[in-house]
Amino acid sequence: MPATDDVQKAQRFREAALPYLDDVYTLARYLLRDASDAEDAVQECYLRALKHFDSYRGPAMKPWLFAILRNVCNAEYARRAHRPSAIEDTPGAAEQTPLWQESEVSPETEVLRSRDAGAIRKLIDALAEPFKETFVLREINNLSYREIAEAVGVPVGTVMSRLARARAMLRAAWTAEEEQAK
Amino acid sequence: MTCDEARILLHALLDNELDAGHAREVEAHIASCSDCTAEFAAQREMQRVLADTNLRYTAPASLRARIETSLPQAQHQQPTRRSVLRGFAMGSAVSALAASGVVAVVLRQDDQQRILSEVVSAHLRSLQAGHLTDVVSTDQHTVKPWFNGKLDVAPPVIDLTAQGFTLVGGRLDYIDARAIGAVVYKRRQHVINLFVSQTSSTEHRPPKTQTMQGFNCRRWGDRGLNFWAVSDIGADELAEFVDKLEAAMKANVEG
């Protein structure tokens, strides 16, 4: 039988961490693009989080859980050896390209048509890392720049430039698809 | 400011991440540059469409259950010989279980009674001069972001002025040994404090009114949040407030 301390800790952990289950699962779905891999990753994330819960000093639970989930997902990517590591913290060539070239479609004439969630999720799924995770953390998980910086382990300035890139790429893909649909 | 810089900073402007000085600079550049104006408008439009679309995933119930069972649980006491005998003495093992159920219910209510008294105390404290609000605004778009980063869960902030309950601001408070958000409304000259804390239970618990020290407190739970609305207005007016708030929150979610 577990010691009372463990039970109490588990109860505190449950109250602090379980309300974010959907947030963590959402990030896992976007990072891994597979429902059952995402479930495994989220479960592993919660197990690790419980293990390290004693050393958790805040400030916010959500970025902390996301940071753990990223580590789990990185391990998953390493396991899928045939795929390149999805989350790469060294700035790649893509990151150094100027932003300018992204929005070639003249923006003033473009009004994005509303699309169903499935189509938008596909467009987001197709974004390259590390831009996708930055985008998802901001736009879908509602983290502040500072929280993203904390979860990802990069300076706020990097978060800002990655987000700008991610949005530029997303809009370019979106408008390109609409062009095709015409 | 160059366009290259503006192309990055306009996102921080969209996300409300810039301080007033930088925000003005970026706005000034955007206003003076037609390319950046167009880019800003296009990005704002995309953000609006994205915000209107539900892009989140919901964790399957089976996953929640898997995680729950992997956490150390308070195990059910193995019945000892003696307790089994006692069970028989009371008539049956079933009645023994029923009895322990009563104990659990009594304890839980005690806990809730304690939290209720803390909530009422917090309401009383807030009525003392200068304690009502940390952020004063009738604009939900000012109050809501103010909570971000201060709490694990920002409370929903909904303007109900049109429904007769004026949003006056927000405050951090301390209930049950945890920092929680309080959203402050006024009905005529009466203050309504809406306390919001997170909970591990995501089930909907219908509102219930209790009275303590002459204050009405209406408590309910929804989507992983616990709510307590406290005020000295009548129970029927408080119920009206909660109904309108719940309706507005539902509309926001389904939006």
Side-chain angles (χ1 to χ4, degrees), chain A residues 1-2 6-7 10-11 13-16 18-23 25-27 29-30 36 38-40 42-43 46-47 50 56 59-62 98-100 103 107-108 110-118 120-121 124-125 135 138-147 156-157 160-161 163-168 170-171 174, chain B residues 2-18 33-36 38-78 148-154 176 178 198-202 223-224:
Chain A
M1 185 184 299
D6 280 356
V7 173
Q11 184 53 32
F13 176 74
R14 192 176 282 125
E15 282 171 13
L18 271 187
Y20 300 114
L21 184 60
D22 285 346
D23 292 278
Y25 180 70
T26 295
L27 181 62
R29 281 292 296 264
Y30 282 104
S36 82
E39 283 191 40
D40 291 345
V42 170
Q43 186 174 15
Y46 272 84
L47 283 179
L50 174 66
Y56 167 70
M61 177 54 66
K62 212 155 76 162
L99 280 167
W100 281 108
S103 38
E108 53 269 69
E110 282 305 327
V111 174
L112 297 172
R113 277 182 294 127
S114 293
R115 324 187 46 158
D116 64 285
I120 298 177
R121 284 177 191 186
I124 297 170
D125 272 340
F135 179 83
R138 170 63 227 152
E139 210 74 272
I140 302 174
N141 285 126
N142 277 324
L143 255 54
S144 70
Y145 287 11
R146 198 169 296 284
E147 287 173 322
V156 171
M160 212 183 281
S161 61
L163 188 61
R165 278 277 301 171
R167 283 177 176 160
L170 180 66
R171 202 166 68 79
W174 194 324
Chain B
T2 68
C3 286
D4 271 345
E5 288 166 342
R7 291 291 159 113
I8 291 177
L9 288 171
L10 68 84
H11 293 276
L13 182 66
L14 276 177
D15 293 325
N16 251 329
E17 291 267 352
L18 293 178
C33 166
S34 62
D35 281 352
C36 289
E39 178 67 16
F40 183 68
Q43 288 293 347
R44 191 169 47 191
E45 167 70 7
M46 185 170 84
Q47 196 175 43
R48 193 189 59 74
V49 175
L50 289 170
D52 284 350
T53 315
N54 179 18
L55 297 171
R56 292 169 58 86
Y57 290 94
T58 307
S62 60
L63 174 61
R64 191 176 290 272
R66 261 161 73 190
I67 292 173
E68 279 280 0
T69 48
S70 70
L71 296 175
Q73 309 269 336
Q75 307 230 322
H76 298 291
Q77 294 277 341
Q78 290 289 328
N148 289 339
K150 296 189 177 64
L151 292 166
D152 280 352
V153 160
D176 197 19
R178 275 193 296 180
Q198 60 175 327
T199 160
S200 49
S201 148
T202 52
R223 285 175 238 274

Side-chain angles (χ1 to χ4, degrees), chain A residues 31-92:
Chain A
L31 291 183
L32 296 173
R33 288 193 276 186
D34 179 275
S36 82
D37 283 356
E39 283 191 40
D40 291 345
V42 170
Q43 186 174 15
E44 177 63 23
C45 167
Y46 272 84
L47 283 179
R48 288 195 200 179
L50 174 66
K51 213 161 101 195
H52 299 290
F53 190 51
D54 283 332
S55 61
Y56 167 70
R57 293 283 177 275
M61 177 54 66
K62 212 155 76 162
W64 186 67
L65 287 173
F66 288 155
I68 297 173
L69 180 74
R70 284 182 81 252
N71 287 335
V72 174
C73 291
N74 272 332
E76 167 65 16
Y77 269 101
R79 201 182 60 79
R80 297 178 187 176
H82 57 286
R83 288 198 204 178
S85 170
I87 303 156
E88 187 68 60
D89 270 339
T90 47

